[in-house]
Amino acid sequence: MQHASAIFVAGDPALDFLNSVATPVDVPIEWLDSGEGLLSWLRQAQLVSAPVLKEVQSRSRPAELDAVAERARNLREWFRALVQKQMGRPLTRDDFRKVERLNRLLERDESFSQIAPATTKEHNAFELRVLRKWHSPEALLFPIAEALARFVCSEDFTYVKACEGPACTLFFADHTRGRARRWCSMAICGNRAKQVAHRHRLKRNG
């Protein structure tokens, strides 16, 4: 099934993952509806490189990839419930048990560090890269879990918001100077709200 390009307006990969199912314009879109949908979303999110995705796909049966996509959707909805409950206030150490599911997933990851030629020529000739063994389709979940874990450890949930668009389901991290962001994006919901307000003003003025 072909979808429109995925939406990346959240300001963080973890919230972009939540937005992999959304209602940007009236009709709900599920980007992780299948194994192919998951591969496409991971490529667009730049969480997994295209060559790795191609390799994993070539070594996996469609049913295996579909099963991983289902697990990704389950992980997403678990994280959505956490975000919805915690948004507006920071996490504390007392909340640790709420995120243990991520540790249980990450402990199965087969990642390792390796010296590689540096991608820049500023200082050193080499750099240390973290790589991953892609032994099974399940490994596609690990970059997602890593992004969620980084979000939990680095983002202040006080500034996680849901778009104020009446029908919009998108989340974002408000990194603006005054923490005054209201919309997922001006192009999607901001302009729509302006148009509605303009029509209301015209109606009031007769």
Side-chain angles (χ1 to χ4, degrees):
M1 181 178 180
Q2 294 294 320
H3 291 319
S5 297
I7 296 173
F8 299 97
V9 297
D12 189 278
L15 295 183
D16 284 327
F17 178 58
L18 288 191
N19 294 341
S20 63
V21 60
T23 308
V25 185
D26 303 326
V27 180
I29 301 176
E30 170 62 84
W31 279 275
L32 309 184
D33 61 343
S34 64
E36 286 194 6
L38 174 63
L39 294 173
S40 175
W41 186 86
L42 287 169
R43 177 184 55 78
Q44 293 180 70
Q46 299 182 1
L47 289 180
V48 184
S49 69
V52 168
L53 292 171
K54 186 175 181 179
E55 179 187 349
V56 172
Q57 186 174 27
S58 69
R59 291 192 282 103
S60 306
R61 298 189 304 273
E64 291 179 308
L65 293 172
D66 288 347
V68 174
E70 182 178 7
R71 291 183 61 188
R73 293 193 299 270
N74 290 338
L75 179 65
R76 181 187 65 197
E77 297 315 308
W78 165 79
F79 194 67
R80 183 188 309 281
L82 173 68
V83 168
Q84 288 176 327
K85 186 174 182 179
Q86 296 292 146
M87 59 191 290
R89 64 183 181 87
L91 289 171
T92 69
R93 292 190 178 191
D94 293 336
D95 295 314
F96 176 71
R97 294 184 64 181
K98 298 177 183 178
V99 298
E100 283 186 306
R101 176 172 175 172
L102 290 175
N103 279 343
R104 292 198 300 271
L105 179 55
L106 288 168
E107 69 186 9
R108 298 202 297 274
D109 190 4
E110 292 187 83
S111 59
F112 59 96
S113 299
Q114 194 168 68
I115 297 171
T119 53
T120 63
K121 298 180 180 180
E122 292 183 3
H123 299 293
N124 297 328
F126 304 107
E127 64 185 18
L128 194 63
R129 297 181 189 172
V130 178
L131 304 176
R132 176 173 283 111
K133 295 179 180 179
W134 303 92
H135 285 164
S136 73
E138 181 195 37
L140 295 173
L141 296 174
F142 300 143
I144 297 172
E146 196 173 78
L148 302 186
R150 283 202 190 98
F151 183 81
V152 165
C153 294
S154 63
E155 190 67 50
D156 188 341
F157 276 58
T158 304
Y159 305 115
V160 175
K161 298 180 180 180
C163 178
E164 293 183 18
C168 188
T169 58
L170 298 175
F171 290 87
F172 59 86
D174 187 355
H175 297 147
T176 59
R177 185 185 297 272
R179 308 292 186 179
R181 182 177 172 184
R182 299 174 59 193
W183 317 109
C184 57
S185 77
M186 287 304 298
I188 297 175
C189 287
N191 285 335
R192 192 180 305 175
K194 284 185 175 181
Q195 291 168 6
V196 170
H198 179 65
R199 287 196 296 269
H200 286 171
R201 285 194 298 270
L202 291 177
K203 189 174 181 179
R204 285 198 307 269
N205 294 335

